[in-house]
Amino acid sequence: MGVGVLGTGHYAPDNIVTNKDLEKIVDTTDEWIRSRTGIEERRIAKDDEDSSDMAFMAAERALENANVKAEELDLILVATVTPDTPFPSVSCMIQERLGATKAAAMDVGAACAGFMYGMITAQQFIKTNAYQKILIVGVDKLSKIIDWTDRNTCVLLGDGAGAVVLGKVSEGKGILSFELGADGSGGKELYQNEANHLVMNGREVFKFAVRQMPQSCVNVIEKAGLNKEDVDYLVPHQANIRIMEAARQRLGIAEDRMAKTVQNYGNNSSASIPIALSESVNKGIIKDNDIIVLVGFGGGLTWGAVALKWGK
Ligand code: UT7
């Protein structure tokens, strides 16, 4: 028996904010943002649309895609750094709204790598037969912690949610290997300050990311007993196209074999990877038996990667 993805879903708010819109708010240009990050626009949630609302939408879509009923869920894990409130957790909020009466629920905090941490935590419960079906949601409403006067960060981020349902799949399919890591000494490079704003030393995070993300990809490929040539598709955290390219080039895979949503959504933190995965599934890009690598990094500092064989 393997542990794999039964279904995916995502949700992004309707409201589009373009680079041109941001030119009116801070000293920046569309050209700078595009060339340094690959971002063209991002989605920003309305004031009355919180993380739990977006998480609920993505979760419903993932359950439908997986053909799994909410009552079948054993556990809900929500990766987020922007919960509606510290407690109750977003996972408890959506447990109620979904009607997942049997499910335990908790939030997972590992910033942009949170979804990877959630996925691997879920895998352990299923692998040990403790649970059968687990919903993992990555959601962030970063707009509520953005300092809209700080051009170093406000141009990079956006709101959204992505979800997967994890469960048992055929032997040989599903998650083949993983890597999770943390380096708390880098906490000062990306954090939330006393004013509740996200603060980032972009250059340091960039250096960490271009080193760690390609390395984590290589590590999970090796742990799975595979070669770089075996990888069919890469789903990296969507922070900056230049960082994503570093991972793609290290694996030597073609441009169209990497999920790319950063141009439309910016960096959605915990939601980036499941949104990119869900969009790729909806477009029919991912095929049965494809070898997929998911990889993320974020504040903490944290990182995580998974190699999996697609299909049930
Ligand atoms: O989810 C994980 C979190 N974050 C990330 O992955 C972000 C990692 N870092 C990055 O993606 C990049 O470092 C940035 C996109 C944040 C910055 O790109 P960069 O090529 O590393 O630029 P830089 O920080 O070296 O800054 C170059 C210049 C600076 O001006 P000076 O000091 O050279 O005069 C910045 O002040 O660009 C300036 N700058 C801007 N200019 C126009 C910074 N932000 C902006 C902006 N518009 N929005």
Side-chain angles (χ1 to χ4, degrees):
M1 181 212 66
V3 178
V5 175
L6 304 181
T8 55
H10 69 281
Y11 171 81
D14 296 333
N15 179 31
I16 296 174
V17 174
T18 64
N19 293 347
K20 288 269 174 213
D21 294 330
L22 292 177
E23 286 181 359
K24 295 173 202 146
I25 303 175
V26 286
D27 180 16
T28 191
T29 60
D30 175 46
E31 203 283 318
W32 190 96
I33 303 170
R34 274 175 202 257
S35 61
R36 299 289 178 125
T37 72
I39 300 166
E40 294 166 20
E41 57 189 38
R42 71 286 292 140
R43 304 297 180 94
I44 300 295
K46 296 193 187 77
D47 286 347
D48 63 355
E49 188 174 42
D50 217 330
S51 290
S52 64
D53 301 305
M54 296 190 286
F56 172 72
M57 294 298 292
E60 266 205 320
R61 291 171 184 178
L63 286 168
E64 195 187 331
N65 183 254
N67 201 16
V68 168
K69 291 191 178 60
E71 308 88 75
E72 294 176 62
L73 291 174
D74 298 298
L75 176 65
I76 298 174
L77 297 174
V78 174
T80 185
V81 291
T82 52
D84 304 26
T85 56
F87 58 92
S89 59
V90 175
S91 47
C92 279
M93 290 178 183
I94 66 167
Q95 187 243 17
E96 197 229 342
R97 282 176 73 178
L98 291 167
T101 43
K102 191 175 79 170
M106 72 171 173
D107 287 0
V108 180
C112 305
F115 182 79
M116 305 310 302
Y117 271 75
M119 193 168 180
I120 294 311
T121 304
Q123 182 209 7
Q124 308 314 308
F125 280 107
I126 299 170
K127 216 171 147 181
T128 54
N129 242 342
Y131 289 146
Q132 310 293 315
K133 293 192 172 81
I134 301 180
L135 171 72
I136 307 114
V137 184
V139 62
D140 269 307
K141 186 180 178 182
L142 291 172
S143 61
K144 65 181 177 184
I145 62 166
I146 289 174
D147 176 353
W148 289 102
T149 65
D150 178 13
R151 70 174 184 174
N152 291 300
T153 54
C154 77
V155 303
L156 305 173
L157 311 165
D159 302 333
V164 306
V165 179
L166 218 64
K168 289 182 179 161
V169 295
S170 325
E171 185 71 41
K173 290 193 175 179
I175 296 172
L176 304 173
S177 63
F178 72 87
E179 171 176 282
L180 295 176
D183 175 9
S185 71
K188 59 187 180 302
E189 313 299 357
L190 180 52
Y191 61 97
Q192 196 173 353
N193 68 12
E194 282 175 8
N196 283 330
H197 286 143
L198 180 149
V199 182
M200 180 172 67
N201 181 345
R203 249 172 248 188
E204 284 308 312
V205 177
F206 189 90
K207 278 195 260 170
F208 154 71
V210 291
R211 187 181 67 243
Q212 190 59 51
M213 215 160 73
Q215 190 57 50
S216 291
C217 292
V218 169
N219 292 347
V220 291
I221 292 165
E222 279 176 6
K223 279 187 194 173
L226 300 168
N227 298 310
K228 287 191 277 188
E229 298 72 41
D230 297 319
V231 177
D232 295 296
Y233 200 62
L234 174 65
V235 185
H237 173 46
Q238 309 278 316
N240 184 324
I241 189 68
R242 289 153 56 207
I243 300 171
M244 294 157 58
E245 277 294 312
R248 183 184 72 79
Q249 283 164 15
R250 177 83 175 270
L251 296 186
I253 60 175
E255 257 181 75
D256 66 345
R257 303 316 297 166
M258 176 172 77
K260 193 167 152 280
T261 58
V262 68
Q263 68 283 9
N264 297 327
Y265 298 126
N267 178 351
N268 295 129
S269 185
S270 321
S272 270
I273 293 172
I275 290 177
L277 179 66
S278 172
E279 275 209 357
S280 304
V281 169
N282 290 355
K283 286 181 186 159
I285 295 171
I286 298 179
K287 302 268 180 299
D288 221 26
N289 293 320
D290 274 356
I291 299 291
I292 320 261
V293 172
L294 312 178
V295 62
F297 65 92
L301 299 167
T302 54
W303 61 92
V306 162
L308 58 89
K309 191 175 207 175
W310 197 255
K312 299 181 193 174

